[in-house]
Amino acid sequence: MIKGYELPLGLDAEIDSLEELIRKHRLGEVSATELKAHRVPFGVYEQRQTDTYMVRIRCAGGFITPVQLEGVSAIALRYGIGDVHVTSRQELQIHYVKLDDIIAIMRRLKEIGLSTRGGGGNTVRNIACAVDAGIDPQEIFDVSVYVSALTTRLIAESDSWNLPRKFKIAFSGSAEDEGYATISDVGFIAKIKDGRKGFRVYAAGGLGAKSAEGKLLLDFIDAEEVYPVTKALKNVFFKYGNRRNKHAARLRSLWQNLGEEEFRKRFSEEYAIINAQGVTPLLIEDQVQVVAPTAGGQKISFDQEDFLVWKTRFVKPQKQEGLYSVLIPIELGFISCDSVAGLARFLKPFGSDVLRMTKDQNFLVRNIPSDYLFDLFIFLKNTISQLNQPALYARILSCTGASTCQLGICFSRQAARALMDELKNSNLNLDKIGDIKINFSGCPNSCGHHPVADLGFSGKALRNLDGLYPAYSVFAGAIINDGQTKLAEYIGEIPAKALILLVKDFLSAFISKAESFTNFREYIRESGKVDLKEIILRYSKVPGFGEDKKYYFDWGADTIFSLAERKAGECSAGFFDLLEMDLNNIRNTQAALAKDTLDVGQKEKLLGELVFYASRALLITRGLDAKNHKESYEGFLSHFIGTGLVDESFRDIITDAQRGDTDKILAKQAQVLELAKAVQALYETMDNSFNFKKPVVMPEASKKEVAITIVKDFRGVTCPLNFVKTKIELAKLKTGDLLEIWLDDGAPIENVPGSVKAEGHKVLGQKRIDNYWAVTIEKK
Ligand code: HEM
Ligand code: SF4
């Protein structure tokens, strides 16, 4: 029986612990960063609107029962703003949720067998599946059951939540690769060999700012190997993935960095270990039986024209004779809670496996006997506004874009909507265009799947003499198919306001030549890209602001285009942000301690805090998420001092801190400062997989009398005043002492180190931290 997936046993405890964190956050005891590190892996992202959240609900392979759907609709009605969103990875989202409602949402979801766990962050994300798995006449076999079983297994594993980056898995039942297995971190495509059920396995593909096609890892594995192979790839990623640079952290970067041979070698090693340990095979259960409703149902009314048009556009026969699948177009994935609830109620008599979400942000209803198609049509006609539009509308997809996403550059959703409005009013015969995908992403991150589109757009900002204006990179001609997958090609860039004209011209160009090609895709491959380049040239010029202001306003925007509200996104937030947070805490405390105006009490407090931050910072690299002082000190003693990674001479400071002997800590100020430096230095030696190089043991002499390091914050101090202040600080030190100064980017970092060197001091190093620089100087 397909159940989607089973909830992990520890879920209640995890929800309780998140509730406690939110409570403490409200009291100011837990920072926003710490909370973020825990909520994002739980699929809770902050929207662009401060303190407003979206919640992503895991729906394995897009599967959801009508009862669950009705439940989600009720939750969204109570806590959201009256609608539900179908995502491009076959999940559901509730938007505009308050932080204080998150826990209630999670508990109510749990009651209906759903969870948000792994909805975001560096985790095993929702497993995607060809939406027509189980009903596609061309499929080799139904892969849905593997999606459910693998989800159940992986969400229960603790290492699925602390990966270097997100980890996306997909399944397809045929070479058409409807599930996008060939562009996922791990992808499985059904194959039968010598009468045995199995899969072709792709790895290290995926969409993002640097999208990549997957590589064929194994030409055939037996179906029982799905879990061991996935586990081995997950282990390779966990052990060797890059945890220091989130922009080069996905499995595809690891493949690129190691090279194919080394990647395969490490995969084989992990695979051998797993097999030696022995694993329990996935529980592959029988599929849901198709249910025919016992009441209702009318013979097809052949004479009703709109019904017939609808059937040609949206209804397809399944491999099961007499049953049909029906695509329900959802405009840009948004559907009102009332419509969702109505649909859920309508579908209940058809059994639990009657609905899946598509990657085009639509619903696909399945298992409808022909006698019931007319009923469904009438129901949808009164519920779904797009029902009388050509299927092309259902294929226009956009990510949320800058209206809610913190990373968004352009209002992609508004651009997509404007395009739909324009097409509705045009006299183009869109039914002739067929099944093409037009995809929008609000920035290069590809959430709107532009690299796999027939025609794709990704938002960017361009500048001319009159200022910034919204624009899009244009891509075309993706091929998704086992053995042939090729991402869409970059064709050029256009101002956002020219986008609609461009699409219309491109569609017209095809319609006028349609007779010469089998379909739009063939046209794009054979001559469409050349036409598209010409059209781009036609529209790439942006008039001056005085001449035509509209180019400087994005679609749906009433203020001039700007990037001011763009924030650092939360896409990779996870436990490892905590490390950055403590390293920042260390730096800020060092700076605070360098102030001349501190009284003894302040100094004592700051030194205590410094010991705490220094002991906690690197614990996360050892899998410890220390919640308090006690756990931090114990962890530091056993994992860092006990292992020799940090010099034994620091043990007594930690012991003083454990006992709360703050006056002893005050007396050891120089050593405390050195401890912080030692932790920072150790961090500098850390490789991508959290291994530290053997630490430099402190010479005996320096344990007794360490060079004092003073940190001075000259951010916001302009040239040449920052150099003058540096000189004053250096004058207070003796030869060999170290001074660290913090300088703004730009002129300060370009000038001050040079001037310091010219005075004969040594600049030992300069390092960029966020938007400023830390420069270490040794006094001459
Ligand atoms: C650097 C940051 C981000 C990257 C690289 C990124 C990348 C992606 C990619 C490639 C997809 C397509 C799903 C697939 O692989 O099939 C996706 C889906 C999505 N992204 Fe992002 N994303 C980022 C940040 C965000 C943020 C901040 C938001 C919040 C508004 C967001 C919202 C979504 C949504 C709603 C989906 C649809 C699917 C889902 O996972 O259920 N993304 N993202
Ligand atoms: S593509 Fe960019 S704008 Fe769109 S949701 Fe992803 S990060 Fe946000």
Side-chain angles (χ1 to χ4, degrees):
M1 169 86 120
I2 298 170
K3 300 184 212 90
Y5 56 95
E6 278 174 25
L7 298 173
L9 288 175
L11 188 61
D12 278 327
E14 286 174 349
I15 297 176
D16 291 348
S17 132
L18 189 63
E19 182 175 36
E20 181 63 4
L21 272 181
I22 294 175
R23 193 185 65 78
K24 285 190 172 164
H25 173 65
R26 289 296 188 213
L27 294 172
E29 292 168 15
V30 160
S31 69
T33 312
E34 192 169 346
L35 178 62
K36 182 170 81 175
H38 288 83
R39 73 170 155 74
V40 169
F42 253 98
V44 180
Y45 282 89
E46 188 171 22
Q47 294 183 191
R48 202 166 178 128
Q49 300 78 3
T50 307
D51 215 17
T52 305
Y53 296 82
M54 64 173 207
V55 178
R56 192 177 286 163
I57 305 163
R58 184 183 274 271
C59 304
F63 173 88
I64 190 163
T65 68
V67 174
Q68 289 175 326
L69 188 67
E70 194 177 29
V72 170
S73 149
I75 295 170
L77 195 64
R78 164 76 178 79
Y79 299 106
I81 54 163
D83 59 14
V84 170
H85 185 234
V86 182
T87 78
S88 58
R89 219 178 145 76
Q90 303 178 287
E91 297 177 276
L92 286 175
Q93 264 174 207
I94 306 175
H95 290 222
Y96 292 94
V97 163
K98 292 274 158 263
L99 186 61
D100 293 329
D101 292 332
I102 298 292
I103 298 299
I105 294 177
M106 287 179 181
R107 293 202 172 116
R108 287 187 63 174
L109 285 171
K110 187 177 167 272
E111 284 167 17
I112 51 172
L114 292 172
S115 172
T116 63
R117 203 173 192 266
N122 303 330
T123 62
V124 174
R125 299 291 189 90
N126 195 38
I127 303 186
C129 181
V131 72
D132 49 7
I135 59 173
D136 172 15
Q138 312 303 327
E139 78 180 0
I140 295 162
F141 58 85
D142 180 4
V143 295
S144 324
V145 278
Y146 295 89
V147 174
S148 310
L150 191 60
T151 301
T152 301
R153 179 66 60 88
L154 292 179
I155 62 173
E157 292 181 344
S158 59
D159 60 358
S160 296
W161 312 106
N162 274 330
L163 294 166
R165 238 354 226 115
K166 53 188 165 185
F167 193 66
K168 293 183 175 175
I169 304 170
F171 281 79
S172 283
S174 78
E176 294 291 300
D177 191 15
E178 213 284 326
Y180 291 171
T182 57
I183 44 157
S184 294
D185 292 295
V186 185
F188 295 96
I189 300 187
K191 181 172 176 175
I192 302 276
K193 192 175 168 190
D194 304 330
R196 284 166 14 236
K197 256 189 186 180
F199 293 94
R200 261 156 82 80
V201 184
Y202 282 86
L207 304 182
K210 288 183 226 139
S211 303
E213 293 97 359
K215 292 91 190 159
L216 184 65
L217 185 72
L218 299 160
D219 186 52
F220 182 79
I221 58 160
D222 275 317
E224 299 85 74
E225 295 300 300
V226 163
Y227 174 66
V229 165
T230 309
K231 177 84 176 155
L233 283 165
K234 193 174 81 163
N235 285 1
V236 169
F237 190 40
F238 190 89
K239 278 193 188 165
Y240 308 111
N242 186 343
R243 288 186 150 96
R244 301 198 61 168
N245 178 2
K246 62 185 172 196
H247 302 297
R250 293 287 294 272
L251 194 65
R252 53 186 182 266
S253 300
L254 186 62
W255 175 290
Q256 203 182 351
N257 294 341
L258 294 178
E260 177 171 350
E261 201 180 321
E262 183 61 24
F263 185 98
R264 284 181 184 278
K265 188 171 150 265
R266 295 192 191 188
F267 164 72
S268 304
E269 284 165 10
E270 289 304 322
Y271 187 63
I273 295 173
I274 289 163
N275 275 332
Q277 288 164 346
V279 288
T280 323
L282 292 180
L283 190 62
I284 303 299
E285 296 183 64
D286 289 344
Q287 293 159 37
V288 168
Q289 294 302 307
V290 172
V291 176
T294 48
Q298 310 178 27
K299 288 283 165 227
I300 299 171
S301 135
F302 284 104
D303 50 356
Q304 195 164 329
E305 203 192 323
D306 54 355
F307 172 65
L308 293 178
V309 172
W310 171 76
K311 263 188 73 182
T312 1
R313 284 174 175 165
F314 298 115
V315 180
K316 274 191 189 167
Q318 296 183 187
K319 70 177 179 188
Q320 296 85 355
E321 212 182 318
L323 295 180
Y324 292 85
S325 70
V326 177
L327 185 78
I328 305 182
I330 311 290
E331 193 171 301
L332 297 174
F334 280 96
I335 176 163
S336 76
C337 292
D338 286 348
S339 302
V340 171
L343 179 66
R345 282 192 293 272
F346 182 92
L347 293 177
K348 273 183 193 169
F350 294 86
S352 57
D353 189 11
V354 65
L355 185 73
R356 308 261 169 118
M357 265 86 73
T358 78
K359 285 188 296 309
D360 299 327
Q361 303 176 329
N362 297 308
F363 285 131
L364 187 81
V365 170
R366 51 169 63 200
N367 299 337
I368 305 296
S370 57
D371 282 1
Y372 289 85
L373 283 174
F374 191 72
D375 278 2
L376 179 58
F377 169 67
I378 297 297
F379 166 78
L380 293 175
K381 203 173 151 184
N382 296 323
T383 316
I384 304 288
S385 59
Q386 288 206 92
L387 209 68
N388 60 353
Q389 301 296 338
L392 174 68
Y393 290 88
R395 301 284 186 222
I396 298 180
L397 180 155
S398 171
C399 75
T400 174
S403 46
T404 57
C405 173
Q406 298 184 330
L407 289 169
I409 298 174
C410 290
F411 284 0
S412 47
R413 191 172 284 150
Q414 287 78 350
R417 189 157 282 139
L419 173 65
M420 287 179 180
D421 290 345
E422 182 68 24
L423 291 179
K424 270 177 209 163
N425 298 327
S426 79
N427 50 12
L428 292 172
N429 179 358
L430 298 178
D431 281 316
K432 225 172 166 178
I433 306 256
D435 222 6
I436 68 154
K437 291 178 200 278
I438 303 182
N439 293 23
F440 292 83
S441 300
C443 80
N445 281 330
S446 305
C447 306
H449 286 189
H450 67 268
V452 291
D454 294 293
L455 185 57
F457 299 97
S458 78
K460 63 188 336 181
L462 290 179
R463 191 191 292 281
N464 64 11
L465 289 177
D466 287 355
L468 283 179
Y469 60 90
Y472 283 88
S473 296
V474 183
F475 299 82
I479 303 169
I480 306 298
N481 198 298
D482 185 6
Q484 296 170 32
T485 291
K486 201 167 169 306
L487 297 173
E489 192 181 312
Y490 170 79
I491 309 288
E493 59 191 19
I494 45 145
K497 278 292 153 88
L499 195 138
I500 287 169
L501 296 171
L502 171 129
V503 177
K504 275 177 69 182
D505 284 10
F506 192 42
L507 297 182
S508 309
F510 167 64
I511 291 171
S512 67
K513 300 175 183 175
E515 310 311 323
S516 326
F517 302 94
T518 325
N519 57 32
F520 193 87
R521 270 190 199 127
E522 188 190 295
Y523 159 69
I524 293 186
R525 276 178 220 163
E526 293 191 4
S527 63
K529 288 179 194 159
V530 178
D531 290 354
L532 194 54
K533 275 189 187 139
E534 272 176 35
I535 300 170
I536 287 176
L537 276 182
R538 207 178 293 161
Y539 293 118
S540 54
K541 193 173 166 335
V542 171
F545 190 79
E547 212 181 315
D548 192 347
K549 287 190 187 49
K550 74 169 183 293
Y551 281 85
Y552 300 82
F553 289 77
D554 204 346
W555 290 102
D558 50 16
T559 50
I560 292 181
F561 180 69
S562 133
L563 295 178
E565 283 176 38
R566 199 164 184 254
K567 298 182 195 161
E570 300 192 332
C571 61
S572 70
F575 290 101
F576 302 104
D577 284 7
L578 298 175
L579 196 158
E580 276 301 316
M581 179 185 78
D582 271 337
L583 291 173
N584 264 331
N585 286 336
I586 293 177
R587 282 192 288 269
N588 291 334
T589 317
Q590 285 167 325
L593 275 163
K595 289 200 181 102
D596 302 328
T597 50
L598 296 177
D599 62 31
V600 175
Q602 287 167 324
K603 218 175 222 174
E604 195 171 315
K605 182 168 170 288
L606 286 170
L607 286 166
E609 283 170 7
L610 192 56
V611 176
F612 172 57
Y613 295 139
S615 63
R616 190 176 65 172
L618 301 180
L619 292 183
I620 204 82
T621 66
R622 295 299 173 260
L624 300 174
D625 179 20
K627 299 259 174 0
N628 51 39
H629 286 58
K630 184 172 172 285
E631 286 175 18
S632 300
Y633 299 137
E634 281 169 4
F636 190 69
L637 284 176
S638 71
H639 289 271
F640 288 91
I641 296 194
T643 55
L645 282 171
V646 172
D647 200 284
E648 183 62 33
S649 62
F650 293 116
R651 183 180 287 275
D652 61 336
I653 304 179
I654 304 295
T655 319
D656 293 341
Q658 275 181 316
R659 290 198 199 105
D661 269 343
T662 48
D663 46 348
K664 280 201 184 147
I665 291 178
L666 181 66
K668 292 176 190 164
Q669 173 175 350
Q671 260 177 299
V672 172
L673 292 174
E674 272 312 306
L675 168 68
K677 284 269 163 197
V679 167
Q680 287 169 317
L682 191 62
Y683 173 69
E684 289 306 317
T685 73
M686 189 177 90
D687 72 13
N688 296 339
S689 313
F690 294 163
N691 300 312
F692 298 101
K693 289 214 187 86
K694 233 181 145 27
V696 186
V697 179
M698 266 214 292
E700 281 305 314
S702 53
K703 281 183 201 167
K704 289 182 198 107
E705 201 189 336
V706 281
I708 293 173
T709 302
I710 304 290
V711 181
K712 286 284 161 190
D713 183 359
F714 295 148
R715 290 176 298 176
V717 183
T718 50
C719 299
L721 209 59
N722 41 20
F723 174 56
V724 176
K725 284 183 177 262
T726 307
K727 274 182 74 165
I728 294 170
E729 288 306 321
L730 284 167
K732 294 181 196 165
L733 304 180
K734 56 182 192 316
T735 303
D737 280 350
L738 303 183
L739 170 68
E740 182 176 306
I741 52 169
W742 293 1
L743 298 171
D744 286 324
D745 202 9
I749 188 63
E750 281 158 24
N751 298 329
V752 177
S755 310
V756 167
K757 277 189 216 159
E759 299 263 312
H761 306 288
K762 265 194 214 156
V763 173
L764 299 180
Q766 59 187 58
K767 199 174 104 190
R768 195 189 174 100
I769 301 160
D770 300 333
N771 58 350
Y772 67 94
W773 293 80
V775 181
T776 312
I777 305 162
E778 186 183 315
K779 160 126 181 179
K780 73 168 173 188

